[in-house]
Coordinates of all heavy atoms in Angstrom, one line a residue:
P1 N -2.5 3.6 3.1 CA -2.5 4.6 2.1 C -2.8 4.0 0.7 O -3.5 4.7 -0.1 CB -1.1 5.2 2.2 CG -0.6 4.9 3.6 CD -1.3 3.6 3.9
E2 N -2.3 2.8 0.4 CA -2.5 2.2 -1.0 C -4.0 1.8 -1.1 O -4.6 2.0 -2.2 CB -1.5 1.1 -1.2 CG -0.1 1.5 -1.5 CD -0.1 2.5 -2.7 OE1 -0.6 2.2 -3.8 OE2 0.7 3.5 -2.5
A3 N -4.6 1.2 0.0 CA -5.9 0.9 -0.1 C -6.8 2.1 -0.3 O -7.8 2.1 -1.1 CB -6.3 0.1 1.1
S4 N -6.5 3.2 0.4 CA -7.2 4.5 0.2 C -7.2 5.0 -1.2 O -8.2 5.4 -1.8 CB -6.6 5.5 1.1 OG -6.9 5.2 2.5
Y5 N -6.0 4.9 -1.8 CA -5.8 5.4 -3.2 C -6.6 4.6 -4.1 O -7.3 5.0 -5.0 CB -4.3 5.3 -3.5 CG -4.0 5.7 -4.9 CD1 -4.1 7.1 -5.3 CD2 -3.6 4.8 -5.9 CE1 -3.8 7.5 -6.6 CE2 -3.3 5.2 -7.2 CZ -3.4 6.5 -7.5 OH -3.2 6.9 -8.8
K6 N -6.5 3.2 -3.9 CA -7.3 2.3 -4.8 C -8.8 2.6 -4.7 O -9.5 2.6 -5.7 CB -7.0 0.9 -4.5 CG -7.7 -0.1 -5.4 CD -7.3 -1.6 -5.0 CE -8.0 -2.6 -5.8 NZ -9.3 -2.4 -6.4
M7 N -9.3 2.8 -3.5 CA -10.6 3.1 -3.3 C -11.1 4.3 -4.0 O -12.1 4.4 -4.6 CB -10.9 3.1 -1.8 CG -12.4 3.3 -1.5 SD -12.7 3.1 0.3 CE -14.4 3.5 0.4
V8 N -10.3 5.4 -3.9 CA -10.6 6.6 -4.6 C -10.7 6.3 -6.1 O -11.7 6.8 -6.8 CB -9.6 7.7 -4.2 CG1 -9.8 8.9 -5.1 CG2 -9.7 8.1 -2.8
K9 N -9.6 5.7 -6.6 CA -9.6 5.4 -8.1 C -10.8 4.6 -8.5 O -11.3 4.8 -9.6 CB -8.3 4.7 -8.4 CG -7.1 5.5 -8.3 CD -7.0 6.8 -9.1 CE -6.5 6.5 -10.5 NZ -6.4 7.8 -11.4
D10 N -11.2 3.6 -7.6 CA -12.3 2.7 -8.0 C -13.7 3.5 -7.9 O -14.7 3.1 -8.7 CB -12.4 1.5 -7.1 CG -11.3 0.5 -7.3 OD1 -10.6 0.6 -8.3 OD2 -11.1 -0.3 -6.4
F11 N -13.8 4.5 -7.1 CA -15.2 5.0 -6.8 C -15.4 6.5 -7.4 O -16.5 6.9 -7.4 CB -15.6 5.0 -5.3 CG -15.9 3.6 -4.9 CD1 -14.9 2.8 -4.4 CD2 -17.2 3.1 -5.0 CE1 -15.3 1.5 -3.9 CE2 -17.5 1.8 -4.6 CZ -16.5 1.0 -4.1
V12 N -14.3 7.1 -7.8 CA -14.5 8.4 -8.3 C -15.3 8.4 -9.6 O -15.1 7.5 -10.4 CB -13.1 9.1 -8.8 CG1 -13.3 10.2 -9.7 CG2 -12.4 9.6 -7.5
G13 N -16.5 9.1 -9.7 CA -17.3 9.1 -10.8 C -18.4 8.2 -10.7 O -19.4 8.2 -11.6
R14 N -18.5 7.4 -9.7 CA -19.6 6.5 -9.5 C -20.9 7.3 -9.1 O -20.8 8.2 -8.3 CB -19.3 5.4 -8.5 CG -18.3 4.5 -8.9 CD -18.8 3.0 -9.0 NE -17.7 2.1 -9.2 CZ -17.5 1.0 -8.7 NH1 -18.3 0.7 -7.6 NH2 -16.6 0.2 -9.0
K15 N -22.0 6.8 -9.5 CA -23.2 7.4 -9.2 C -23.5 7.5 -7.6 O -23.3 6.5 -7.0 CB -24.4 6.7 -9.8 CG -25.7 7.4 -9.7 CD -26.8 6.6 -10.5 CE -28.1 7.3 -10.4 NZ -29.1 6.5 -11.1
G16 N -23.8 8.6 -7.2 CA -24.1 8.8 -5.8 C -22.8 9.2 -4.9 O -23.0 9.6 -3.7
V17 N -21.6 9.0 -5.3 CA -20.5 9.3 -4.6 C -20.1 10.7 -4.9 O -19.8 11.1 -6.0 CB -19.3 8.3 -5.0 CG1 -18.0 8.7 -4.2 CG2 -19.7 6.9 -4.7
V18 N -20.1 11.5 -3.8 CA -19.8 12.9 -3.9 C -18.5 13.4 -3.3 O -18.2 14.6 -3.3 CB -21.0 13.8 -3.5 CG1 -22.2 13.5 -4.3 CG2 -21.3 13.6 -2.0
G19 N -17.8 12.4 -2.6 CA -16.6 12.8 -1.9 C -16.2 11.6 -1.1 O -16.7 10.5 -1.2
F20 N -15.2 11.9 -0.3 CA -14.6 10.8 0.6 C -14.3 11.3 2.0 O -14.1 12.6 2.1 CB -13.2 10.3 -0.1 CG -13.5 9.6 -1.3 CD1 -13.5 10.3 -2.6 CD2 -13.8 8.2 -1.4 CE1 -13.7 9.7 -3.8 CE2 -14.0 7.6 -2.6 CZ -14.0 8.3 -3.8
T21 N -14.4 10.5 3.0 CA -14.3 10.9 4.4 C -13.2 10.2 5.1 O -13.0 8.9 4.8 CB -15.7 10.5 5.1 OG1 -16.7 11.3 4.5 CG2 -15.6 10.9 6.5
I22 N -12.5 10.9 6.0 CA -11.5 10.4 6.8 C -12.2 10.4 8.3 O -12.6 11.5 8.6 CB -10.2 11.1 6.7 CG1 -9.5 10.9 5.4 CG2 -9.3 10.7 7.9 CD1 -8.3 11.8 5.2
V23 N -12.2 9.3 8.9 CA -12.6 9.3 10.4 C -11.4 9.8 11.2 O -10.4 9.2 11.0 CB -13.2 8.0 10.8 CG1 -13.6 8.1 12.3 CG2 -14.3 7.6 9.9
S24 N -11.6 10.9 11.9 CA -10.4 11.5 12.5 C -9.6 10.7 13.4 O -8.4 11.0 13.5 CB -10.8 12.9 13.0 OG -11.2 13.8 12.0
P25 N -10.2 9.9 14.3 CA -9.3 9.2 15.2 C -8.5 8.2 14.5 O -8.9 7.0 14.3 CB -10.2 8.5 16.2 CG -11.5 9.2 16.1 CD -11.6 9.7 14.6
H26 N -7.3 8.5 14.1 CA -6.3 7.6 13.6 C -4.9 8.1 13.9 O -4.8 9.3 14.3 CB -6.5 7.4 12.1 CG -6.4 8.6 11.3 ND1 -5.2 9.2 10.9 CD2 -7.3 9.5 10.8 CE1 -5.3 10.3 10.3 NE2 -6.6 10.4 10.2
Y27 N -4.0 7.3 13.8 CA -2.7 7.7 14.3 C -1.6 7.6 13.1 O -0.5 7.2 13.4 CB -2.2 6.8 15.4 CG -3.2 7.1 16.6 CD1 -4.3 6.2 16.8 CD2 -3.0 8.2 17.4 CE1 -5.2 6.4 17.8 CE2 -4.0 8.4 18.5 CZ -5.1 7.5 18.7 OH -5.9 7.7 19.7
K28 N -2.0 8.1 11.9 CA -1.1 8.3 10.9 C -1.1 9.7 10.5 O -2.2 10.3 10.4 CB -1.5 7.4 9.7 CG -1.3 5.9 9.8 CD -0.6 5.4 8.7 CE -0.5 3.9 8.8 NZ 0.9 3.5 8.7
A29 N 0.0 10.3 10.1 CA 0.1 11.7 9.8 C -0.5 12.0 8.4 O -0.1 11.3 7.4 CB 1.6 12.1 9.8
I30 N -1.5 12.8 8.4 CA -2.2 13.1 7.2 C -1.3 13.9 6.2 O -1.6 13.9 5.0 CB -3.5 13.9 7.4 CG1 -3.1 15.3 8.0 CG2 -4.5 13.2 8.2 CD1 -4.2 16.3 7.9
Y31 N -0.1 14.4 6.6 CA 0.7 15.0 5.7 C 1.8 14.0 5.2 O 2.7 14.5 4.3 CB 1.5 16.2 6.4 CG 2.2 15.8 7.7 CD1 3.4 15.2 7.7 CD2 1.5 15.9 8.9 CE1 4.0 14.8 8.9 CE2 2.1 15.6 10.1 CZ 3.4 15.0 10.0 OH 4.0 14.6 11.2
D32 N 1.7 12.8 5.5 CA 2.7 11.8 5.0 C 2.6 11.7 3.5 O 1.5 11.8 2.8 CB 2.4 10.4 5.5 CG 3.4 9.4 5.3 OD1 3.7 9.1 4.1 OD2 4.0 8.9 6.3
N33 N 3.8 11.7 2.8 CA 3.8 11.6 1.4 C 3.0 10.5 0.8 O 2.6 10.5 -0.4 CB 5.3 11.6 0.9 CG 6.0 12.9 1.0 OD1 5.3 14.0 0.9 ND2 7.2 13.0 1.2
A34 N 2.8 9.4 1.5 CA 2.0 8.3 1.0 C 0.6 8.7 0.7 O 0.0 8.0 -0.2 CB 2.0 7.2 2.1
Y35 N 0.1 9.7 1.2 CA -1.3 10.2 0.9 C -1.4 11.2 -0.3 O -2.5 11.6 -0.7 CB -1.9 10.8 2.2 CG -2.0 9.8 3.2 CD1 -1.4 10.0 4.5 CD2 -2.8 8.7 3.2 CE1 -1.4 9.1 5.5 CE2 -2.9 7.7 4.2 CZ -2.2 8.0 5.3 OH -2.3 7.1 6.4
M36 N -0.3 11.7 -0.7 CA -0.3 12.8 -1.6 C -1.0 12.5 -3.0 O -1.8 13.3 -3.5 CB 1.1 13.4 -1.9 CG 1.8 14.0 -0.7 SD 0.8 15.3 0.1 CE 0.6 14.7 1.8
K37 N -0.7 11.3 -3.5 CA -1.4 10.9 -4.8 C -2.9 10.8 -4.5 O -3.7 11.1 -5.4 CB -0.8 9.7 -5.4 CG -0.9 8.4 -4.5 CD -0.2 7.2 -5.3 CE -0.3 6.0 -4.5 NZ 0.4 4.9 -5.1

């Protein structure tokens, strides 16, 4: 979750980046509070 947050902070606003993708096969709950920020 922290690496995801850092990546978003680092790449928001960069040229060509229009969003972010989660590859669905993973075993962490997407509703976990660690992802809210």
Side-chain angles (χ1 to χ4, degrees):
E2 285 304 314
S4 293
Y5 179 71
K6 182 181 181 328
M7 187 173 172
V8 172
K9 294 300 271 184
D10 289 348
F11 286 94
V12 161
R14 292 240 186 132
K15 188 175 181 182
V17 177
V18 296
F20 294 88
T21 298
I22 292 173
V23 180
S24 290
H26 60 81
Y27 298 96
K28 291 230 182 234
I30 61 163
Y31 54 83
D32 191 299
N33 283 332
Y35 299 116
M36 296 304 123
K37 63 184 180 181

